[in-house]
Amino acid sequence: MKAHLLAETHEVFNQVPPLDGANLYRVDLPLQEWTRRYQGGWAEARIDAYGALAGGELMAAGFLANENKPVFHSHDRYGHRIDLIEFHPAYHQLMSAAIEHGIPSMPWTEPRAGAQVARAAMSYLHSQAEAGSGCPLTMTFASVPALKLQPDVAEQWLPKILSTQYDPRNLPLEQKSGATIGMAMTEKQGGTDVRANTTRAYPVGAAGPGQAYELVGHKWFCSAPMCDAFLTLANTDKGLSCFLLPRHRPDGSRNELYIQRLKNKLGNWSNASSEVEYRGALAWMIGEEGRGVPTIIEMVALTRFDCMIGSSALMRQALTQAAHHCAYRQVGGRVLNQQPLMQNVLADLALESEAALALTLRMGKALDNPTDERENKFARLVTAVGKYWICKRAPAMINEAAECMGGAGYVEDSILPRLYREAPVNSTWEGSGNVQCLDVLRALSKEPGVLDALFGELGDGHGDARLKAHIQRLQAAFRDTGDIQYRARQLTEDVALALQAKLLLEAGNAMVSDAFIASRLGEGGRVYGTLPRGVAAEALVARSTPHLL
Ligand SMILES: Cc1cc2nc3c(=O)[nH]c(=O)nc-3n(C[C@H](O)[C@H](O)[C@H](O)COP(=O)(O)OP(=O)(O)OC[C@H]3O[C@@H](n4cnc5c(N)ncnc54)[C@H](O)[C@@H]3O)c2cc1C
């Protein structure tokens, strides 16, 4: 026998064709339908173009940006302090694509019906390719309403923040074509409890809004430290106040902002998260003195919305990969997605993904209507409900999707391990789970009109007896105020499920809404793959499987 024949150990078969290069918008029927439903259809050509980019070159860049973590350089070769973070070119490619396509700016530069929804759709596509870069992108996007509270500072910064040019150079603002913004609130002694912040602000001359201060203190978490400026909190004699702290002073010299080290994180590897110290760093007061929390909440509300988008996106990418895998992989001579138990699992994952998307884009619609009081109340509540519920569902859902792919889903060559590592951060940062649930109680009990906006939205169950009964139970649960903090997670979960059920019913696809209600408000189990009998599992799987569309 010839030697080369001996070398041929086996034929490779029953492996899945790669999904490389798929347009992530075109393979996602629910995204198309929900974007159109909430008036984002006018931007479809742009979203479609971004879908091609996200599934192609940005997907490839995502792997590189995570395999090559950012590196911190405290000093240059001559010993000068430089505080620079070096990123792989793939990270810059991701940032550049997102900024050029308006992901941090579109709703502010093109305000019209559906702008928030269209931007959310593009962000959803971007986060599927790579989620770490989403951190500076969302902070830049979300800084705009907070900065507008200080018009003189906004006038100087907004043109660069809203620019569609990505400029990563470490230069003073005047010399840059675009700027990104970070946020630094968390200190060692308290993240949730920002009122425990010890950082002090001393006026350079006159005190008050728009004035210059020198900040002395630290921040325990400061993500994306290469941003051009940071919204940060520090105490004056009148209490906690909000400041914009740039990397450079007006004379072009470096500001007294010192990066201590980078965090060694569970996931979110492409993104740098640092510890910083302010040693007399110049910063300008934003908004009213002593009202730092309400000022920075303008930003946090939107980053929480982006956590909803981000976690929905991670779930969708996990589903796309699992559904694709199971459409090809055979076990026992039968393709997996034709096997009843796998159909149950995949259909359950598809429902979770679509319900998350529906609530997220409905929230986008509320943000698109800032002059509508009821929509404002809805957004106030759903920011906390959706941030809690969607971010909480993602890790388990992604784990299940990876398991559908067997060993292949546990290996870095597939994107699943990265999606799984990425998922928990969304439920921790921007206010952890309990904090969101307590915020739901605060909004419902203390803010006039929020409870009415919720039950107004839910209506009487939209003709579905199961939803109607669920809403009635929810109303009774809110009337009983005993131990309400102790029950806050259950209440928030019940609100989230009611809203998701209602949105799916309203959208009119009975196959989806019926399966969701039967499993989430009826007899479903505690893990995925426990849909009750009578659900159109095979058709639900087909709806979310790339190659069957
Ligand atoms: C990767 C990463 C990047 C980050 N980047 C930034 C950044 O750029 N800027 C920034 O400012 N911060 C950042 N953070 C910090 C993040 O926002 C905080 O970690 C978070 O807000 C929680 O604060 P903490 O860590 O101090 O936890 P704690 O405040 O100590 O909270 C611990 C736990 O207690 C719970 N809890 C709090 N209050 C209550 C209560 N009353 N009842 C019941 N439970 C409660 C919380 O939900 C949480 O689960 C980042 C965090 C991570 C992981």
Side-chain angles (χ1 to χ4, degrees):
M1 191 179 288
K2 288 182 183 166
H4 75 273
L5 288 180
L6 286 175
E8 287 173 10
T9 58
H10 64 286
E11 182 194 348
V12 177
F13 66 100
N14 195 24
Q15 284 285 354
V16 174
L19 200 52
D20 302 352
N23 179 323
L24 295 186
Y25 186 62
R26 292 198 187 164
V27 301
D28 193 340
L29 196 55
L31 179 60
Q32 295 165 30
E33 289 180 6
W34 288 97
T35 302
R36 288 177 205 136
R37 177 166 181 74
Y38 293 136
Q39 297 182 290
W42 57 268
E44 202 153 10
R46 283 153 74 171
I47 303 170
D48 182 58
Y50 210 75
L53 208 55
E57 58 192 72
L58 298 187
M59 186 64 79
F63 281 90
L64 284 172
N66 283 273
E67 280 158 16
N68 299 278
K69 292 185 189 179
V71 178
F72 171 46
H73 299 288
S74 56
H75 297 80
D76 70 8
R77 59 195 285 212
Y78 304 107
H80 302 111
R81 195 77 207 218
I82 49 170
D83 294 277
L84 293 181
I85 313 292
E86 185 185 346
F87 292 92
H88 189 273
Y91 172 85
H92 294 303
Q93 184 186 352
L94 287 153
M95 290 292 293
S96 183
I99 289 174
E100 281 169 17
H101 286 80
I103 288 182
S105 61
M106 192 167 120
W108 314 129
T109 52
E110 298 173 62
R112 57 180 284 190
Q116 289 281 3
V117 171
R119 178 259 167 194
M122 291 210 282
S123 179
Y124 183 78
L125 295 167
H126 183 89
S127 296
Q128 291 186 55
E130 209 288 306
S133 48
C135 174
L137 293 170
T138 178
M139 292 193 292
T140 303
F141 162 69
S143 69
V144 174
L147 284 172
K148 281 185 175 168
L149 296 174
Q150 196 56 51
D152 46 343
V153 176
E155 192 185 347
Q156 189 193 356
W157 281 86
L158 286 187
K160 302 284 168 78
I161 292 171
L162 299 177
S163 156
T164 49
Q165 287 181 48
Y166 173 57
D167 187 344
R169 294 173 302 160
N170 183 36
L171 292 173
L173 185 70
E174 304 69 52
Q175 297 175 38
K176 296 195 63 166
S177 54
T180 52
I181 302 292
M183 172 171 59
M185 299 188 290
T186 308
E187 296 189 3
K188 289 174 184 168
Q189 68 284 355
T192 303
D193 199 2
V194 289
R195 292 191 187 279
N197 274 193
T198 59
T199 297
R200 289 288 310 179
Y202 303 94
V204 174
Q211 298 298 334
Y213 285 70
E214 284 183 351
L215 268 54
V216 178
H218 81 283
K219 296 294 163 185
W220 182 230
F221 278 91
C222 174
S223 286
M226 289 310 298
C227 285
D228 295 281
F230 305 85
L231 276 160
T232 193
L233 294 176
N235 281 295
T236 66
D237 291 343
K238 291 189 181 165
L240 205 56
S241 307
C242 181
F243 296 87
L244 184 73
L245 190 155
R247 289 186 71 79
H248 293 86
R249 291 166 168 257
D251 66 2
S253 63
R254 47 162 293 148
N255 206 351
E256 300 297 317
L257 163 72
Y258 294 87
I259 298 172
Q260 303 301 295
R261 58 175 172 172
L262 295 188
K263 301 284 192 187
N264 189 5
K265 297 178 286 184
L266 162 69
N268 198 247
W269 288 351
S270 70
N271 179 37
S273 298
S274 67
E275 296 165 18
V276 297
E277 286 184 2
Y278 306 148
R279 302 180 194 160
L282 262 186
W284 281 260
M285 187 179 280
I286 304 295
E288 238 181 282
E289 186 172 1
R291 303 268 307 152
V293 175
T295 302
I296 213 159
I297 282 290
E298 293 279 335
M299 179 175 187
V300 173
L302 287 177
T303 57
R304 287 178 178 169
F305 170 48
D306 277 11
C307 290
M308 294 169 66
I309 299 172
S311 285
S312 303
L314 295 173
M315 288 196 271
R316 173 64 219 195
Q317 181 55 210
L319 171 66
T320 297
Q321 296 291 341
H324 173 72
H325 185 94
C326 294
Y328 289 94
R329 181 75 169 178
Q330 293 189 14
V331 177
R334 271 174 84 196
V335 174
L336 277 170
N337 76 3
Q338 293 304 309
Q339 308 211 23
L341 185 52
M342 186 57 93
Q343 284 178 347
N344 194 327
V345 176
L346 290 172
D348 210 354
L349 299 180
L351 288 173
E352 195 66 41
S353 167
E354 183 159 355
L357 176 69
L359 189 59
T360 299
L361 292 192
R362 172 64 184 86
M363 172 76 190
K365 182 189 164 210
L367 293 174
D368 269 324
N369 290 283
T371 54
D372 182 327
E373 213 28 54
R374 197 168 128 175
E375 288 293 278
N376 284 339
K377 306 281 181 208
F378 181 83
R380 167 68 187 89
L381 179 70
V382 173
T383 301
V385 171
K387 158 77 161 81
Y388 171 71
W389 183 241
I390 293 172
C391 299
K392 196 56 79 186
R393 297 297 279 173
M397 187 280 188
I398 296 164
N399 174 211
E400 201 65 67
E403 194 176 312
C404 291
M405 298 167 67
Y410 199 76
V411 173
E412 292 286 345
D413 296 349
S414 85
I415 196 174
L416 269 297
R418 171 149 57 94
L419 300 176
Y420 186 61
R421 273 197 303 274
E422 201 69 46
V425 78
N426 282 335
S427 67
T428 293
W429 64 16
E430 311 307 327
S432 309
N434 288 354
V435 173
Q436 300 310 312
C437 296
L438 295 174
D439 196 40
V440 169
L441 296 187
R442 193 176 307 120
L444 287 171
S445 63
K446 299 234 161 70
E447 296 186 26
V450 172
L451 195 67
D452 291 345
L454 170 65
F455 287 107
E457 173 83 16
L458 289 176
D460 65 353
H462 289 258
D464 188 286
R466 298 160 297 183
L467 180 55
K468 185 175 182 175
H470 179 83
I471 293 167
Q472 285 167 348
R473 281 195 298 275
L474 199 51
Q475 283 167 328
F478 277 117
R479 276 196 296 273
D480 170 9
T481 52
D483 294 330
I484 198 149
Q485 283 202 12
Y486 186 74
R487 295 184 287 122
R489 279 191 178 220
Q490 187 63 57
L491 287 167
T492 306
E493 174 174 332
D494 288 343
V495 170
L497 291 175
L499 285 168
Q500 289 179 319
K502 182 262 176 179
L503 296 177
L504 295 174
L505 264 175
E506 203 178 46
N509 186 331
M511 172 182 82
V512 177
S513 60
D514 193 59
F516 186 85
I517 292 171
S519 54
R520 271 62 172 173
L521 306 185
E523 317 158 25
R526 290 182 187 275
V527 294
Y528 291 104
T530 52
L531 296 177
R533 280 178 166 158
V535 159
E538 187 173 359
L540 283 166
V541 176
R543 179 172 164 78
S544 286
T545 302
H547 86 295
L548 296 180
L549 291 172

